[in-house]
């Protein structure tokens, strides 16, 4: 413990000691180990000592150099912030502390004194690894089965024709939701493989399935509330809001897993607003004002959550209808 | 045997003579009156091409031609876009002015402008006597734009249970003969060609209505004809619905309910039911509709009334499946204002206004949707529709739909309320 404390006190080390820079990214933080001494220039420029292939990093982003026998770190100003141990640091000169993690763009690096004691060798967690794969496959199968069951149940609840289970199961397997979930997971799986070098199919499959569950719940619950109460417009609005929120979450999680944290929220929100906007415009364009438009839902008796009107009260409704027509005519 | 042959000879001779006489009758009358019959062309001004074709004939005061309203209806609403031309038997063209219309009985009166040469015809006299069924009638006109023709036929009485009187003509009236005269053996006008149902069944407007229009001519000459059409539609619906709402409505048993039957002699009902062997529910349907609609413009009609009922009883459907069936098949999902002609455009009608409610009536709870829209050219006239679906049973359901077009606000509201009250659960 004492040794560790002393290592973090940069000024106590002599400038002749070499430093080790561990360069990587979020997904592979220990990709390269570089041992250097003297002044070390880190950046995107080819003239750097550590050349980072990251377009979000400045040509010269960090300089580690010796001064009066101690290493210092100079942070250069740039478009994107530089973080030390997760906290943003402005441009300037800082003491070198062995083990500090520096993040810039999509690159993370850690700098140590050469004498920094390495951790003991770890045993490869072979069993745990196999278990992880099995767990992932288990999650995938469980999600798929749940999704199929939910869709089958929804189809069955709405089907009044003679039951033909083989056709019903075939229809469920080719249901638009299932197809879209697979397409979504495949697309992001490919993007994940290319961008992050990891297989992300299952996580995106689970996320898309959660979105479908939310959508089905949303349609069902707001449908019943819109039908059985006097606040049908409110529940229609809630329906669209829930769609926007769930789309945001889906996109946010997709960007998060594939591209990392930065600006993901904003991108997801923008995409979701765009999506909701298109959805709304599309619904307006589909409206034919020459066709009667009303809530066409019908539900079993338990769904009626209001006291029915008398016929006398219904006369007022008729008056309202004609008053609105007369307004249209003007 | 000899006697039999003599009788057969006499019978054949008699029939032959009758055919010869009938042929002579039509030949003589056609020669006598063909100059009174015109082809009527509705010309589109910008292209100088015909937009509609029909027939017409001289009637009433000098310079007047009668035809069908539906032949020239476009010119009522877009006067500057169309020109009405009457072509006489010698090919002479006469530009006419539209002076009076009867939208209910599909009649119009055209006048030759004072500055023009007089028409080469004499007015057909209106028959005053009652025709007998089977009596010979000649229909004249210019079918399919191929030339003036005469069609022999018989008068077969008035259309039974029709909202507007129309005569049945057993003869082939074809497209283009609309507005042409139908005359009896005295050469008097008994009717005006108006429609055909094919297979030798045609319809004539009784000449008496043309007489009424001639009487109304001085009044209509002073008025905007669109307003005249609107007033006629309003008056007609007032006549029809005032009587309908006063009379006791006949009801009938329909499974667990009593529902209105044919509520007027002009309304006919039809029935159907589901007979699939593997069905999961019993279903039946009754559809009732009025016999006449009124032609207004460009194949758009008004003045209809229609109502229908759909009954569903579950055999092995659960409550969710039952209501899905109702929603998709009989209920709101299928509600399209079946008898509302949706070819009206937004310059002619307002958008629909619709309201949805739960209402207690007839020993049950109903989900009601009421929709209406107005006619822009005819203030005070609306299309209105009601859909009511029972929502208090898990295993059976009734949907009822009622639509009335070209109806006033007051009549629509009363009709709706009376209809709702007339649909009742038996227990």
């Amino acid at each position: 413990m004492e040794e560790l404390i002393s290592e973090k006190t940069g000024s106590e080390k002599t400038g002749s000691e070499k430093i080790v820079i561990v360069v990587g990214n979020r997904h592979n933080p220990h990709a390269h180990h570089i041992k250097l001494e003297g002044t070390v220039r880190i950046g995107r420029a080819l003239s750097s000592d550590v050349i980072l292939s990251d377009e979000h990093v400045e040509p010269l982003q960090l300089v580690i150099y010796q001064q009066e026998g101690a290493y210092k770190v100079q942070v250069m100003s740039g478009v994107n912030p530089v973080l030390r141990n997760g906290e943003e640091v402005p441009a300037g000169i800082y003491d070198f502390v062995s083990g500090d993690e520096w993040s810039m763009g999509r690159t993370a690096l850690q700098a140590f004194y050469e004498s920094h004691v390495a951790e003991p060798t770890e045993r490869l967690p072979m069993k745990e690894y196999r278990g992880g794969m099995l767990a992932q496959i288990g999650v995938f199968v469980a999600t798929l089965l749940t999704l199929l069951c939910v869709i089958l149940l929804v189809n069955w609840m709405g089907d009044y024709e003679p039951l033909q289970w083989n056709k019903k199961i075939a229809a469920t397997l080719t249901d638009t939701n299932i197809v879209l979930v697979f397409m979504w997971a495949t697309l992001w799986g490919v993007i994940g493989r290319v961008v992050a070098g990891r297989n992300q199919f299952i996580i995106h499959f689970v996320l898309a399935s959660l979105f479908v569950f939310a959508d089905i719940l949303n349609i069902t619950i707001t449908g019943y509330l819109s039908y059985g109460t006097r606040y049908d417009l409110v529940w229609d609005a809630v329906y669209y809001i829930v769609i926007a929120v769930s789309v945001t979450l889906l996109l946010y999680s997709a960007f998060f897993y594939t591209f990392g944290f930065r600006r993901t929220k904003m991108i997801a929100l923008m995409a979701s607003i765009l999506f909701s906007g298109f959805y709304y415009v599309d619904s307006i364009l589909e409206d034919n004002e020459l066709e009667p438009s009303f809530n066409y839902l019908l539900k079993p008796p338990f769904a009626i959550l209001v006291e029915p009107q008398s016929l006398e009260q219904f006369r007022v409704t008729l008056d309202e209808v004609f008053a609105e027509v007369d307004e249209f005519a003007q | 045997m000899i006697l039999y042959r003599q009788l057969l000879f006499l019978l054949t001779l008699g029939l032959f003579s009758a055919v010869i006489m009938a042929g002579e009758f039509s030949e003589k009358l056609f020669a006598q009156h063909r100059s009174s019959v015109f082809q009527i062309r509705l010309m589109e001004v910008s292209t100088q091409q015909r937009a509609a074709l029909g027939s017409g004939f001289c009637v009433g005061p000098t310079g007047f031609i009668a035809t069908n309203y539906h032949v020239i209806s476009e010119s009522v609403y877009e006067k500057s876009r169309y020109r009405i031309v009457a072509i006489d038997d010698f090919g002479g063209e006469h530009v006419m002015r539209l002076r009076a219309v009867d939208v209910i009985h599909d009649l119009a009166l055209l006048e030759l402008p004072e500055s023009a040469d007089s028409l080469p015809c004499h007015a057909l006299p209106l028959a005053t006597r009652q025709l007998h069924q089977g009596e010979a009638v000649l229909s004249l006109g210019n079918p399919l734009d191929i030339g003036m023709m005469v069609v022999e036929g018989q008068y077969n009485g008035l259309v039974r249970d029709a909202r507007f009187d129309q005569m049945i003509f057993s003869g082939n009236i074809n497209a283009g003969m609309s507005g042409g005269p139908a005359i009896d053996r005295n050469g008097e006008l008994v009717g005006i060609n108006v429609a055909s149902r094919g297979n030798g069944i045609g319809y004539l407007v009784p000449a008496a209505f043309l007489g009424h229009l001639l009487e109304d001519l001085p009044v209509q000459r002073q008025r905007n004809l669109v307003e005249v059409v609107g007033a006629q539609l309003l008056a007609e619906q007032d006549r029809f619905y005032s009587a309908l709402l006063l009379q006791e409505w006949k009801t009938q048993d329909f499974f667990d309910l009593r529902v209105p039957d044919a509520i007027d002699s002009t309304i006919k009902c039809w029935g159907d039911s589901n007979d699939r062997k593997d069905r999961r529910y019993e279903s039946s349907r009754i559809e009732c509709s009025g016999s006449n609609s009124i032609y207004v413009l460009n194949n758009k009609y008004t003045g209809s009334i229609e109502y229908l009922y759909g009954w569903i009883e579950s055999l092995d459907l659960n409550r969710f499946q039952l209501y899905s069936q109702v929603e998709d098949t009989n209920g709101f999902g299928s509600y399209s204002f079946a008898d509302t002609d949706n070819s009206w455009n937004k310059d002619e009608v307002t958008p629909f206004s619709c309201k949805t409610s739960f209402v207690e009536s007839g020993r049950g709870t109903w989900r009601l949707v009421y929709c209406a829209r107005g006619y822009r050219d005819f203030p005070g006239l609306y299309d209105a529709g009601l859909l009511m679906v029972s929502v208090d049973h898990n295993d059976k359901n009734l949907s009822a739909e009622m639509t009335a077009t070209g109806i006033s606000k007051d009549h629509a509201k009363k009709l709706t309320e009376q209809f709702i009250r007339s649909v009742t659960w038996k227990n």
Side-chain angles (χ1 to χ4, degrees):
Chain A
M1 183 62 80
E2 279 179 16
E3 192 176 69
L4 192 64
I5 291 168
S6 65
E7 275 179 2
K8 289 205 168 187
T9 315
S11 56
E12 290 180 9
K13 290 284 177 181
T14 62
S16 58
E17 188 168 5
K18 291 181 180 175
I19 56 170
V20 175
I21 295 172
V22 184
V23 185
N25 55 38
R26 199 182 65 78
H27 304 296
N28 193 2
H30 300 98
H32 307 286
H33 289 63
I34 304 158
K35 194 183 284 186
L36 295 161
E37 64 182 324
T39 300
V40 179
R41 287 161 298 176
I42 301 169
R44 195 155 45 82
L46 296 177
S47 57
S48 307
D49 300 304
V50 178
I51 303 166
L52 302 178
S53 179
D54 182 342
E55 61 187 2
H56 302 98
V57 171
E58 298 303 313
L60 182 59
Q61 186 80 74
L62 277 188
V63 181
I64 303 174
Y65 63 97
Q66 291 176 332
Q67 190 179 47
E68 296 168 359
Y71 277 105
K72 299 278 182 188
V73 179
Q74 183 174 3
V75 176
M76 316 303 280
S77 59
V79 175
N80 297 309
V82 172
L83 284 74
R84 184 168 70 172
N85 297 326
E87 286 184 16
E88 191 173 328
V89 289
I93 296 170
Y94 302 89
D95 286 341
F96 176 85
V97 177
S98 180
D100 271 359
E101 187 175 292
W102 297 85
S103 302
M104 58 212 81
R106 290 201 179 116
T107 306
L109 59 83
Q110 212 170 357
F112 301 94
Y113 285 122
E114 187 185 17
S115 59
H116 190 103
V117 177
E119 295 293 320
T121 305
E122 280 186 31
R123 188 188 177 90
L124 271 175
M126 294 304 287
K127 280 187 181 172
E128 191 183 312
Y129 180 71
R130 283 180 192 153
M133 274 302 287
L134 282 176
Q136 283 191 48
I137 291 167
V139 167
F140 169 70
V141 171
T143 308
L144 178 60
L145 284 177
T146 311
L147 191 59
L148 289 172
C149 287
V150 168
I151 290 169
L152 187 65
L153 179 70
V154 169
N155 286 345
W156 177 75
M157 297 272 274
D159 191 3
Y160 41 83
E161 295 302 338
L163 281 171
Q164 291 176 286
W165 283 108
N166 53 343
K167 284 190 180 175
K168 195 150 283 303
I169 289 168
T172 304
L173 289 172
T174 53
D175 186 90
T176 315
N177 283 311
I178 298 281
V179 173
L180 287 176
V181 166
F182 269 100
M183 284 173 66
W184 178 267
T186 307
L187 174 73
W188 283 97
V190 170
I191 295 173
R193 169 65 68 186
V194 171
V195 173
R198 288 195 310 163
N199 191 348
Q200 298 185 336
F201 177 85
I202 291 174
I203 184 68
H204 287 296
F205 186 89
V206 172
L207 290 169
S209 299
L210 286 173
F211 174 77
V212 170
F213 295 142
D215 191 42
I216 290 172
L217 267 179
N218 185 23
I219 289 171
T220 308
I221 294 171
T222 55
Y224 269 87
L225 292 171
S226 173
Y227 168 82
T229 67
R230 293 196 205 288
Y231 308 108
D232 52 335
L233 290 178
V234 173
W235 292 114
D236 286 349
V238 169
Y239 169 73
Y240 283 102
I241 290 167
V242 173
I243 285 181
V245 169
S246 51
V247 169
T248 305
L249 287 174
L250 179 69
L251 290 172
Y252 174 72
S253 51
F255 287 126
F256 173 84
Y257 277 101
T258 304
F259 296 120
F261 271 104
R262 291 185 189 173
R263 283 184 294 283
T264 301
K265 287 177 195 166
M266 190 54 73
I267 292 169
L269 189 63
M270 293 299 288
S272 142
I273 289 169
L274 268 177
F275 175 83
S276 305
F278 279 127
Y279 203 75
Y280 179 68
V281 169
D282 185 53
S283 69
I284 288 176
L285 290 177
E286 274 186 6
D287 264 1
N288 179 358
E289 64 176 25
L290 292 172
E291 294 283 344
S293 169
F294 50 83
N295 184 343
Y296 63 84
L297 299 173
L298 280 171
K299 307 286 180 197
F302 73 82
I304 304 172
L305 305 173
V306 289
E307 188 69 24
Q309 292 179 320
S310 66
L311 207 45
E312 287 66 34
Q313 289 168 318
F314 183 64
R315 280 186 199 146
V316 178
T317 307
L318 297 183
D319 288 337
E320 286 170 2
V321 168
F322 283 106
E324 193 170 83
V325 173
D326 290 343
E327 263 178 45
F328 289 152
Q330 287 161 11
Chain B
M1 191 66 174
I2 292 171
L3 183 64
Y4 172 74
R5 281 185 182 168
Q6 282 177 338
L7 276 172
L8 192 65
F9 174 74
L10 285 173
L11 188 63
T12 311
L13 187 66
L15 281 171
F16 187 65
S17 307
V19 170
I20 298 276
M21 283 169 69
E24 281 178 358
F25 145 72
S26 57
E27 186 183 338
K28 187 179 151 196
L29 283 177
F30 181 58
Q32 195 178 336
H33 293 295
R34 65 182 297 170
S35 62
S36 296
V37 183
F38 293 76
Q39 185 188 57
I40 305 298
R41 289 181 187 171
L42 185 69
M43 305 296 288
E44 214 262 344
V45 171
S46 64
T47 59
Q48 288 298 310
Q49 294 298 322
R50 57 198 87 177
L53 280 181
S55 301
F57 55 94
C58 288
V59 71
T62 307
F64 277 87
I65 290 177
T67 187
N68 282 142
Y69 164 84
H70 75 254
V71 174
I72 49 75
S73 58
E74 277 90 337
S75 68
V76 174
Y77 305 91
E78 293 180 280
K79 209 182 284 185
S80 58
R81 192 176 157 198
Y82 296 100
R83 201 158 51 96
I84 302 170
V85 178
I87 316 288
D88 64 35
D89 196 32
F90 311 103
E93 293 190 5
H94 311 273
V95 176
M96 307 295 290
R97 278 187 193 155
L98 179 61
R99 285 302 188 197
V101 293
D102 178 351
V103 68
I104 309 299
H105 301 102
D106 202 352
L107 293 172
L109 280 174
L110 313 174
E111 185 185 19
L112 189 72
E114 284 171 9
S115 57
D117 294 337
S118 61
L119 292 170
C121 68
H122 64 274
L124 286 174
L126 272 56
T128 48
R129 70 188 182 88
Q130 189 71 39
L131 278 179
H132 302 290
Q133 188 158 2
E135 207 171 309
V137 170
L138 286 187
S139 166
L140 286 77
N142 192 335
L144 311 170
D145 196 23
I146 55 177
M148 206 56 74
M149 283 178 67
V150 59
V151 176
E152 284 183 25
Q154 289 81 39
Y155 166 69
N156 264 296
L158 295 174
V159 177
R160 197 187 305 161
D161 294 333
R163 186 163 156 186
F164 320 113
D165 279 349
Q166 281 191 333
M167 300 158 70
I168 304 169
F169 174 74
S170 306
N172 290 311
I173 295 178
N174 288 298
M177 292 178 77
S178 288
I183 54 178
D184 63 8
R185 60 175 62 245
N186 301 326
E188 290 183 335
L189 183 80
V190 293
I192 299 96
N193 307 331
V194 69
S196 167
R197 189 167 275 186
N199 296 321
I201 295 182
Y203 298 103
L204 308 174
V205 180
F209 292 117
L210 184 57
H212 298 325
L213 185 59
L214 284 164
E215 287 168 15
D216 200 31
L217 179 62
V219 178
Q220 287 203 27
R221 288 179 80 148
Q222 313 298 321
R223 294 184 63 187
N224 177 328
L225 289 182
V226 177
E227 288 173 12
V228 170
V229 170
Q232 289 174 348
L233 291 171
L234 267 172
E236 167 53 29
Q237 65 82 35
D238 191 47
R239 180 195 68 77
F240 179 73
Y241 286 108
S242 296
L244 185 70
L245 292 167
L246 274 180
Q247 68 201 36
E248 186 79 17
W249 285 7
K250 199 166 83 177
T251 58
Q252 68 170 99
D253 281 346
F254 188 53
F255 296 91
D256 293 358
L257 295 105
R258 281 199 73 79
V259 296
D261 196 355
I263 55 176
D264 185 76
S265 62
T266 63
I267 291 171
K268 307 284 178 232
C269 296
W270 304 82
D272 192 16
S273 60
N274 178 10
D275 59 354
R276 278 181 66 169
K277 286 194 178 123
D278 58 351
R279 62 188 181 273
R280 299 175 65 196
Y281 55 88
E282 299 283 5
S283 70
S284 288
R285 194 174 170 87
I286 291 178
E287 294 189 21
C288 304
S289 58
S291 54
N292 291 81
S293 294
I294 302 164
Y295 182 95
V296 180
L297 172 71
N298 281 336
N299 290 322
K300 295 164 198 172
Y301 293 80
T302 190
S304 65
I305 177 168
E306 179 182 291
Y307 49 95
L308 55 91
Y309 315 104
W311 169 259
I312 290 169
E313 192 161 358
S314 169
L315 294 177
D316 74 354
L317 298 180
N318 64 38
R319 65 189 67 180
F320 299 101
Q321 291 166 336
L322 180 85
Y323 277 85
S324 285
Q325 201 286 343
V326 178
E327 187 176 294
D328 291 351
T329 314
N330 276 0
F332 295 179
S334 67
Y335 188 36
S336 59
F337 272 75
D339 202 35
T340 302
D341 184 346
N342 278 318
S343 60
W344 292 96
N345 65 45
K346 61 182 179 183
D347 295 329
E348 295 161 343
V349 290
T350 67
F352 276 104
S353 168
C354 296
K355 300 270 184 214
T356 309
S357 317
F358 291 106
V359 172
E360 292 275 8
S361 172
R363 302 193 196 100
T365 306
W366 303 86
R367 174 85 157 160
L368 298 188
V369 170
Y370 193 74
C371 295
R373 69 179 177 187
Y375 290 82
R376 293 189 191 278
D377 281 336
F378 313 128
L381 270 189
Y382 302 83
D383 291 343
L386 167 77
L387 180 66
M388 53 191 294
V389 182
S390 68
V391 285
D392 44 6
H393 294 82
N394 286 320
D395 56 349
K396 53 193 171 185
N397 185 279
L398 180 95
S399 306
E401 182 179 330
M402 198 229 4
T403 313
T405 63
I407 186 170
S408 72
K409 194 187 300 186
D410 285 344
H411 286 317
K413 288 194 281 191
K414 285 177 187 161
L415 182 72
T416 304
E417 197 172 325
Q418 193 156 331
F419 186 83
I420 296 170
R421 283 187 195 284
S422 304
V423 179
T424 55
W425 288 92
K426 285 194 260 184
N427 297 310

